[in-house]
Amino acid sequence: MPRTIELIYFEGCPNAEAARVNLREALSTIDAPPHWQEWEQGNQASPAHAREFGSPTILVNGHDVTGVGPGAAAAACRADGAPSIEIIRNALEGVE
């Protein structure tokens, strides 16, 4: 089953680039191609669900890799920063 990976952020988020780097590295550690969809929360073309999470958030098949649900920090910078490589990798490996 293919996995859907999304990076949600808002322009100017200080942790967005770290999330990209960690996502790229996590995908590399499991020999997966570095492909994901990015959603900038301020862009009108972004889907509604992208506005329900804090920035940055990485979703794998619609689930936040950190286990935080939607609405917990919507339209705000996440206090926990960018998800770590290990957290992202664990979420990716949990998807068959």
Side-chain angles (χ1 to χ4, degrees):
M1 169 184 180
R3 62 175 77 95
T4 301
I5 304 168
E6 301 168 279
L7 171 60
I8 299 169
Y9 68 99
F10 63 80
E11 192 65 40
C13 174
N15 297 309
E17 185 57 29
R20 277 187 201 94
V21 169
N22 290 354
L23 178 53
R24 188 174 294 111
E25 181 62 27
L27 287 164
S28 171
T29 65
I30 63 168
D31 293 323
H35 300 290
W36 62 85
Q37 176 68 54
E38 291 199 10
W39 304 113
E40 198 279 311
Q41 292 175 315
N43 186 327
Q44 296 290 18
S46 293
H49 77 271
R51 294 176 187 86
E52 298 175 359
F53 293 90
S55 177
T57 293
I58 296 173
L59 303 179
V60 175
N61 291 349
H63 300 283
D64 186 336
V65 299
T66 66
V68 175
C77 208
R78 291 177 68 137
D80 56 353
S84 71
I85 295 166
E86 181 178 5
I87 287 171
I88 299 167
R89 185 183 66 239
N90 289 342
L92 292 167
E93 289 178 330
V95 177
E96 295 294 325

